[in-house]
Amino acid sequence: MIRDAYAVRTGVGPRPLAGGRLPRPVIEVIERDDGLINGAPADHYLDEPDAWQPHDHRALKYCRGRVLDIGAGAGRTALELQRRGVAVTGLDTSQGAIEVARRRGLRDTVLATVDEFARAPVRYDTFLLLGNNLGLLESPERAPVFLDALARLAAPGARIVAQGTDPYGTRDPVHVAYHERNRARGRLGGQLRLRLRYREVATGWFDYLNCSAAELEALVAGTAWRLKSIDERDRPYYLAVMELTH
């Protein structure tokens, strides 16, 4: 998908075509386990800073030292940090995303999950989880495992800078019913069960977490991290900063 989005934007390489001649828009299809289907243009993975949201710009101000951009995609954030002279590594589980990031000039990339990479000897001062990638915490069961993996990669005094979404301001009955269904099953209201589709391919089903600031604080409690601050100026989106305690 990201390869195709890059080809459509640049005009370089094979592109998906409509009617054999016109480039087809590259759409990421997001399917939820209650049957809800949404679509979003995949071109945003390639956005330059002038197209970013305000919270993306503020997030970079929290970066210090060596940075690991988790879920780097096509290198949207990592490339800007690299341009600023920051030592940054882009990590993603998608080979196509990593290929595009490298074609766009990102020098240091890792194709792995966080759990796999946690065995590496390198240490980082800042972990970025932007593009709503706080959702990679997945669930109350998975969150401490994920945070422990980051702690193993952390230099003393490291921080996590994450962008999340508080799902509970909506009045949409489809989403409200989903939150209620989740709670009845013993899950957090914003604990999503998703799969992504593009043309003839699809991921497996996976959990992805939208949570409130209060829920995040509860998830972090008892881990090696503490929630230092929440920036809610762009509600329902927020920036969370977590710091290593030991």
Side-chain angles (χ1 to χ4, degrees), residues 127-143:
F127 300 97
L128 281 181
L129 292 163
L130 302 186
N132 209 44
N133 272 338
L134 183 64
L136 295 174
L137 293 180
E138 295 187 18
S139 68
E141 296 75 27
R142 170 64 180 159

Side-chain angles (χ1 to χ4, degrees), residues 15-224:
R15 290 169 287 165
L17 300 178
R21 293 184 61 188
L22 301 176
R24 182 184 297 275
V26 177
I27 302 296
E28 180 177 38
V29 176
I30 306 161
E31 184 178 358
R32 201 168 67 182
D33 65 343
D34 62 341
L36 181 69
I37 296 176
N38 282 319
D43 189 66
H44 74 91
Y45 289 109
L46 303 162
D47 278 348
E48 296 293 337
D50 60 359
W52 290 5
Q53 296 297 313
H55 51 72
D56 290 323
H57 291 283
R58 294 200 301 274
L60 266 57
K61 296 178 182 178
Y62 291 106
C63 292
R64 63 186 183 193
R66 191 167 191 172
V67 177
L68 181 65
D69 183 15
I70 299 168
R76 179 179 72 97
T77 305
L79 282 165
E80 176 59 19
L81 287 171
Q82 184 176 277
R83 283 192 285 265
R84 298 183 185 188
V86 174
V88 57
T89 301
L91 180 145
D92 208 285
T93 59
S94 165
Q95 182 175 343
I98 290 294
E99 288 176 5
V100 170
R102 294 191 67 84
R103 288 178 67 185
R104 298 177 74 204
L106 186 60
R107 292 189 292 267
D108 190 11
T109 60
V110 174
L111 178 63
T113 66
V114 166
D115 302 79
E116 291 165 347
F117 192 53
R119 296 188 289 269
V122 66
R123 296 293 177 264
Y124 292 93
D125 303 286
T126 304
F127 300 97
L128 281 181
L129 292 163
L130 302 186
N132 209 44
N133 272 338
L134 183 64
L136 295 174
L137 293 180
E138 295 187 18
S139 68
E141 296 75 27
R142 170 64 180 159
V145 178
F146 184 87
L147 292 170
D148 178 66
L150 295 190
R152 282 180 274 146
L153 286 165
R159 61 176 48 167
I160 301 169
V161 181
Q163 187 259 307
T165 301
D166 187 330
Y168 304 124
T170 183
R171 296 181 181 178
D172 187 322
V174 173
H175 296 310
V176 172
Y178 188 79
H179 298 160
E180 293 173 352
R181 173 176 173 259
N182 268 341
R183 294 187 185 104
R185 298 165 62 201
R187 295 161 64 88
L188 292 179
Q191 192 173 330
L192 308 175
R193 188 72 176 166
L194 304 174
R195 67 177 173 182
L196 306 180
R197 305 184 68 94
Y198 174 65
R199 303 190 81 186
E200 77 280 12
V201 297
T203 69
W205 290 95
F206 60 92
D207 279 353
Y208 201 74
L209 184 63
N210 286 336
C211 64
S212 67
E215 288 173 333
L216 176 60
E217 188 167 15
L219 291 171
V220 173
T223 73

